[in-house]
Amino acid sequence: MKTAYKYRAYPSKEQKATLNRQMLLSKELYNLLLEKSKAYYKETGKTLTEYRMNVWITQTKKEKPEFTELHSQVLQNISKRVSDAYRHFFRRCKEKKQGKTVKVGFPRYRKFVSSLTYPQLGFKIKKKNAELSKIGSINFVNHREIEGKVKTLTIKKTKSQEWYITIAVEKEDKPFISNNKPKTGIDLGISQYVALSDNTIHQNVKITKHQRNRSRLLQQNVSRKRKGSRNRKKAVIRFARYSEHIARIRQDCLHKLSYNLVHSYSFIAYEDLEIPNMVKNRRYAKSISECSWGNFTQMLQYKAESAGCVAVTVNPQHTTMTCSNCGNMQRMSISQRTFICEKCGMRKDRDINASVNILGRALNSTSSNFDSKTVKATEGHSGSQACGDNVRPSARKAVAEEAGTIRVAS
Ligand SMILES: [Zn+2]
């Protein structure tokens, strides 16, 4: 299992200058590599591989000795970033051909690079500082012990000029043990952030009017300053600091909520939402992107396994329109907050009714999924059925065994 630890770092004044200089050089190299691979593609019709980029870097170092200011691994990481950009571009092209609504943009030239990555070598982590080759030993706040094998180290500067060190590690997989708590379905919404099938509702933090106003004011302050001036720079930092502060408040709430959920349920089913599609609806765009459902479901997914919980996605089609009691389908306008079944007369909160349907759908498809060879078919990103792409095999097995349907050969 891959995890990452993030620490606040405090480089000295000189180190900051070195880091900024190295980031500037990284940006130059990134743009050079992009240009190079564009030209290469025009000439040969092939993409420039990461390996070839690295060879080219070594040659260029002789002509441009300033690149030797960076550690060689950091330089190689930049060619990885370029080829990743290409890979994502090709992936999105493919997805678009398959009929998905994705934006396809060709890799762009960078205006700045705000992080440096040491992929394998060139750094040493100590108790209170990290020694980075060609930069020096940088102090950081070690608030949490690192477990697992250290893979990479990234030093990053935020827009508000704060520095962070992120350490990626590889942990050993522990066998999956279910926490034997009840099962639940989740309906994600705007007015009620999370509605569970056992009638509980959890809210997200609301950004207050005061916070919104302050944010707007700080943004206005930026636009009032002359471009390129020192005061503008200061205003940008002030605005960035406040935005990051609010982002942390949201993040904190989502972390706590997802933590609580995976520890109080053994099975969580949620809707597979296509968020980019939904944001297109302009009336809801702002409130939807403020909800950060994608972020939240990601947290559920990665926290689930170690908490003994299985999180699965379900196709959300018609979950709000269907009666969770008798299965009757009826129209539901957005303003209708309670579901009143025309057939059996059941009354339930709109979102809770949906969450019951989501749980039902997940339990149905998990048992049938393991029944046949469809497990393989639901792997990958195309399937939106329950127990799809994001469920680890071990967790999958646990669901199947619990459902009591079939035995999974391991
Ligand atoms: Zn009904």
Side-chain angles (χ1 to χ4, degrees):
M1 191 174 69
K2 278 178 190 159
T3 355
Y5 296 89
K6 192 175 172 187
Y7 303 98
R8 180 81 187 265
Y10 293 93
S12 70
K13 215 174 172 185
E14 293 82 34
Q15 285 170 341
K16 276 182 198 167
T18 325
L19 284 162
N20 283 330
R21 160 105 181 132
Q22 293 202 0
M23 284 173 186
L24 200 76
L25 287 168
S26 299
K27 180 202 82 175
E28 261 172 46
L29 184 67
Y30 185 96
N31 292 342
L32 277 175
L33 283 171
L34 198 61
E35 207 177 287
K36 173 93 186 147
S37 37
K38 268 186 193 173
Y40 186 82
Y41 186 78
K42 260 189 188 165
E43 244 177 61
T44 60
K46 283 179 200 162
T47 48
L48 197 63
T49 58
E50 210 179 309
Y51 173 76
R52 274 171 187 256
M53 284 187 206
N54 287 339
V55 173
W56 184 79
I57 289 173
T58 336
Q59 288 165 357
T60 320
K61 265 202 238 173
K62 283 168 202 157
E63 294 161 32
K64 295 187 174 173
E66 66 262 32
F67 284 134
T68 50
E69 284 176 36
L70 275 83
H71 189 262
S72 61
Q73 291 272 314
V74 177
L75 288 175
Q76 289 189 7
N77 177 259
I78 291 160
S79 45
K80 185 178 180 291
R81 288 183 195 184
V82 176
S83 59
D84 277 351
Y86 265 96
R87 242 207 357 263
H88 292 314
F89 167 66
F90 289 129
R91 197 201 61 220
R92 280 193 294 268
C93 286
K94 207 171 153 190
E95 280 175 356
K96 193 162 194 181
K97 264 188 194 166
Q98 287 168 351
K100 269 196 181 180
T101 43
V102 282
K103 263 192 181 171
V104 180
F106 193 77
R108 267 187 271 181
Y109 289 112
R110 289 278 190 96
K111 282 183 184 147
F112 56 86
V113 163
S114 58
S115 68
L116 301 171
T117 300
Y118 289 78
Q120 298 156 19
L121 311 159
F123 64 93
K124 208 182 240 172
I125 300 154
K126 291 183 177 166
K127 217 166 191 185
K128 280 181 176 170
N129 52 43
E131 253 177 51
L132 306 183
S133 152
K134 307 235 175 184
I135 294 167
S137 119
I138 293 174
N139 292 336
F140 70 91
V141 184
N142 191 351
H143 67 279
R144 181 178 247 186
E145 201 130 331
I146 297 169
E147 288 167 24
K149 205 175 168 220
V150 174
K151 289 281 168 189
T152 66
L153 184 145
T154 303
I155 181 152
K156 188 177 162 55
K157 181 170 80 168
T158 67
K159 281 196 174 135
S160 64
Q161 313 284 310
E162 285 171 3
W163 294 85
Y164 290 92
I165 283 179
T166 309
I167 295 160
V169 298
E170 183 94 45
K171 273 188 195 172
E172 250 179 66
D173 284 326
K174 281 179 199 148
F176 180 83
I177 303 159
S178 175
N179 60 14
N180 288 325
K181 299 267 169 70
K183 293 174 179 149
T184 192
I186 290 183
D187 181 71
L188 299 163
I190 298 170
S191 55
Q192 303 183 132
Y193 191 66
V194 166
L196 301 178
S197 51
D198 58 3
N199 289 329
T200 42
I201 283 162
H202 296 277
Q203 291 295 2
N204 193 0
V205 270
K206 285 264 149 44
I207 298 305
T208 62
K209 211 173 166 185
H210 167 79
Q211 285 168 324
R212 214 177 282 263
N213 286 343
R214 178 151 177 78
S215 178
R216 195 176 299 147
L217 186 84
L218 289 168
Q219 197 171 17
Q220 277 168 4
N221 272 344
V222 174
S223 54
R224 281 187 188 133
K225 304 285 187 296
R226 193 162 43 82
K227 272 194 179 171
S229 68
R230 210 166 248 261
N231 277 330
R232 191 182 172 103
K233 243 182 206 168
K234 278 188 208 161
V236 166
I237 291 173
R238 237 175 272 138
F239 173 58
R241 193 177 295 147
Y242 197 68
S243 312
E244 281 165 25
H245 165 68
I246 289 180
R248 274 194 294 263
I249 295 177
R250 288 171 190 286
Q251 201 75 355
D252 176 62
C253 175
L254 295 186
H255 270 303
K256 283 172 181 160
L257 183 54
S258 54
Y259 179 91
N260 281 337
L261 287 177
V262 295
H263 279 91
S264 16
Y265 298 97
S266 65
F267 182 88
I268 295 173
Y270 60 93
E271 309 151 75
D272 188 15
L273 295 164
E274 285 202 13
I275 292 149
N277 272 349
M278 299 181 74
V279 177
K280 264 190 205 151
N281 185 340
R282 278 175 64 201
R283 219 174 124 197
Y284 297 107
K286 197 181 163 89
S287 31
I288 287 175
S289 53
E290 269 183 8
C291 280
S292 39
W293 289 322
N295 203 345
F296 177 67
T297 50
Q298 228 175 11
M299 287 182 187
L300 275 183
Q301 214 41 271
Y302 78 71
K303 285 188 191 22
E305 176 130 1
S306 57
C309 170
V310 177
V312 298
T313 55
V314 161
N315 182 355
Q317 222 175 12
H318 307 315
T319 43
T320 34
M321 292 161 63
T322 313
C323 169
S324 57
N325 189 35
C326 68
N328 175 40
M329 281 235 274
Q330 63 189 55
R331 286 212 153 272
M332 282 287 287
S333 73
I334 287 181
S335 57
Q336 248 173 292
R337 295 307 313 163
T338 345
F339 188 98
I340 305 165
C341 182
E342 287 158 359
K343 227 177 183 178
C344 69
M346 184 206 67
R347 269 171 161 271
K348 227 174 206 168
D349 179 276
R350 173 202 180 89
D351 297 337
I352 287 174
N353 176 55
S355 65
V356 175
N357 287 329
I358 287 165
L359 178 64
R361 203 170 280 185
L363 291 176
N364 273 335
S365 50
T366 39
S367 46
S368 62
N369 260 354
F370 290 100
D371 232 12
S372 57
K373 288 159 196 159
T374 50
V375 178
K376 269 253 163 81
T378 55
E379 266 171 337
H381 232 73
S382 53
S384 57
Q385 281 122 331
C387 241
D389 31 33
N390 286 328
V391 184
R392 302 257 329 274
S394 58
R396 226 180 243 178
K397 208 171 129 190
V399 186
E401 277 165 2
E402 206 179 330
T405 45
I406 48 134
R407 274 165 279 123
V408 177
S410 53

